[in-house]
Amino acid sequence: MKKTSLSLLTLIAVLLMSACADESSYSPAEDAQDAGREFIRASLDGNMRKAEFYLLKDSSNIMLFEKWKKDYYNKLSTEERVSFKNANILPIKIENENDSTVHYSFSNSYKSTDTTTVKIIRSNGIWQVDLKELH
């Protein structure tokens, strides 16, 4: 019994350390374009932990991100996930609204007719994606 408990505790500790190590390996975006590119690439790759790192963390964005994962991403077939992972980001227009807000319009080479615009804001000196105005 003690051996099983010790093994379980060790496994949990290793998982927690690896989760922390993953997030600490991401670098904050240097500018809005970098934040958009990192978020989009991570989303296409299915790396939700990394995508969430570049997400503005408020209750609305977290809810929207979780809903997108549940209603869309988790329902993709293996083939679709591979196609998105292999896709290139196709920037269409990057437009500054002001010194702390940028609109990043893009498509991808797998679904090139699907155009999306995300809002990227600088909050507390950090560039992050705000999904509340996704279109």
Side-chain angles (χ1 to χ4, degrees):
M1 178 73 174
K2 285 183 181 180
K3 190 173 185 177
T4 304
S5 296
L6 183 59
S7 296
L8 182 60
L9 287 173
T10 303
L11 176 63
I12 291 170
V14 168
L15 290 174
L16 288 173
M17 288 188 308
S18 67
C20 293
D22 277 350
E23 190 165 306
S24 67
S25 67
Y26 307 137
S27 299
E30 294 182 19
D31 55 33
Q33 188 170 347
D34 188 34
R37 182 180 52 254
E38 291 291 342
F39 176 83
I40 296 162
R41 181 76 264 155
S43 298
L44 290 172
D45 289 346
N47 186 342
M48 298 307 149
R49 180 171 284 151
K50 185 174 183 180
E52 194 168 2
F53 178 82
Y54 292 99
L55 180 69
L56 177 66
K57 298 188 191 47
D58 63 22
S59 59
S60 296
N61 276 316
I62 292 169
M63 185 223 26
L64 290 166
F65 189 67
E66 291 300 320
K67 182 170 176 40
W68 172 79
K69 287 191 303 186
K70 178 182 168 228
D71 293 349
Y72 182 74
Y73 183 78
N74 290 342
K75 294 180 181 179
L76 293 175
S77 69
T78 302
E79 294 80 22
E80 289 172 309
R81 288 181 187 204
V82 169
S83 294
F84 277 117
K85 191 171 188 161
N86 291 329
N88 294 318
I89 300 169
L90 305 174
I92 297 168
K93 185 176 186 182
I94 300 170
E95 182 176 37
N96 294 344
E97 183 176 305
N98 55 46
D99 66 344
S100 60
T101 305
V102 174
H103 297 275
Y104 190 120
S105 299
F106 68 96
S107 185
N108 67 75
S109 58
Y110 172 54
K111 298 270 186 171
S112 61
T113 58
D114 292 346
T115 302
T116 304
T117 301
V118 293
K119 182 177 176 181
I120 304 164
I121 65 167
R122 184 173 50 201
S123 175
N124 298 322
I126 299 171
W127 289 99
Q128 295 174 307
V129 174
D130 184 352
L131 297 177
K132 291 184 289 289
E133 293 184 28
L134 181 73
H135 56 276

